[in-house]
Amino acid sequence: MQYGYARVSAADQNLGRQIEEFLKFGIEKQNIFSDKKSGKNFDRKEYTRLLKRLRAGDLLVIKSIDRLGRNYEAIIDEWKKITSHIGADILVLDMPLLDTRDKADNLVGKFISDIVLQLLSFVAENERQNIRARQAEGIALAKQRGISFGRPKKKYTAMFVEVTELYNEKKIVLSDALDLLDVKQSTFYYHLHKLHKDF
């Protein structure tokens, strides 16, 4: 039996091109599994379903090695699980050297396939780390330019600041502060603490 596995990282990305390649290859639509989830690990619903269906002698087709995953060690482990433990074959359409069907009895071919797999898995993992590093650099540069991230700080009115100062200096009592600002006690204390923490 032939199966296809497609993956994109985000819900707004399109699986269409990968699925179209599988259909052209001759894989039946009901045998195509797909996930819209990060490739950092293999905790994916459809991928798990696919593994339960795979049997010895089956063929798993993927478009490119990074569609299987992006974690170097995990890709190698999954490859071994599928080819050695389950006994199924794998074909990577974008890299014909990664085709275990022709290499089961061919030691040189298997050796080349293993090297290519390790190299491509390393490249996929390295790219993932580079993306994280570029994101961190971008955030650091943005912070240096004064761009802030997260929820913007609440801006307090001059009236609120003045009332809290009077309250802190014990020039007015709590009930007066609450009346002046028309807020509940819990709200007043929350913003009082937050205001003076930010200063």
Side-chain angles (χ1 to χ4, degrees):
M1 188 72 72
Q2 295 183 150
Y3 296 96
Y5 178 69
R7 184 189 66 79
V8 289
S9 298
D12 59 350
Q13 292 178 316
N14 198 320
L15 292 157
R17 281 181 301 182
Q18 294 175 65
I19 291 170
E20 191 177 322
E21 292 276 341
F22 301 148
L23 293 172
K24 277 186 195 170
F25 188 82
I27 298 171
E28 294 178 15
K29 197 168 186 179
Q30 68 267 22
N31 289 337
I32 297 173
F33 295 79
S34 60
D35 284 302
K36 290 192 172 188
K37 196 164 182 187
S38 165
K40 66 183 177 182
N41 61 50
F42 286 88
D43 181 23
R44 304 177 217 139
K45 184 180 175 184
E46 290 300 303
Y47 181 78
T48 303
R49 281 187 62 228
L50 167 65
L51 282 189
K52 288 177 182 172
R53 292 270 298 274
L54 274 179
R55 298 288 178 266
D58 287 345
L59 174 66
L60 171 60
V61 181
I62 54 175
K63 177 87 168 68
S64 57
I65 196 69
D66 64 342
R67 296 305 88 203
L68 187 60
R70 287 192 173 273
N71 179 300
Y72 168 60
E73 290 178 1
I75 291 172
I76 302 294
D77 289 344
E78 287 300 306
W79 189 276
K80 286 178 184 170
K81 183 197 297 181
I82 292 166
T83 58
S84 300
H85 300 296
I86 296 173
D89 285 304
I90 303 176
L91 166 63
V92 180
L93 293 174
D94 286 356
M95 183 63 59
L97 278 171
L98 292 177
D99 182 354
T100 63
R101 294 175 301 175
D102 303 330
K103 304 188 172 57
D105 302 318
N106 180 343
L107 283 178
V108 174
K110 189 174 188 311
F111 178 68
I112 291 169
S113 180
D114 286 348
I115 287 175
V116 173
L117 170 66
Q118 298 226 9
L119 178 62
L120 291 177
S121 300
F122 170 78
V123 169
E125 169 78 358
N126 196 49
E127 179 58 20
R128 192 166 71 94
Q129 290 178 358
N130 286 341
I131 288 168
R132 280 206 305 258
R134 287 194 296 268
Q135 285 173 335
E137 287 168 10
I139 289 168
L141 285 170
K143 284 182 176 176
Q144 284 175 8
R145 291 196 300 265
I147 297 169
S148 59
F149 294 87
R151 185 180 286 182
K153 288 180 182 174
K154 180 172 175 61
K155 293 195 184 332
Y156 293 100
T157 62
M159 169 92 168
F160 186 88
V161 173
E162 187 180 340
V163 170
T164 57
E165 283 174 357
L166 289 170
Y167 174 77
N168 283 333
E169 292 166 7
K170 300 192 186 321
K171 292 181 179 172
I172 59 171
V173 294
L174 177 61
S175 58
D176 291 335
L178 299 179
D179 286 342
L180 286 166
L181 297 172
D182 193 25
V183 293
K184 293 186 206 170
Q185 182 176 322
S186 58
T187 304
F188 176 74
Y189 279 131
Y190 171 80
H191 289 292
L192 175 70
H193 173 71
K194 197 163 179 52
L195 174 66
H196 290 283
K197 186 179 167 190
D198 289 342
F199 277 118

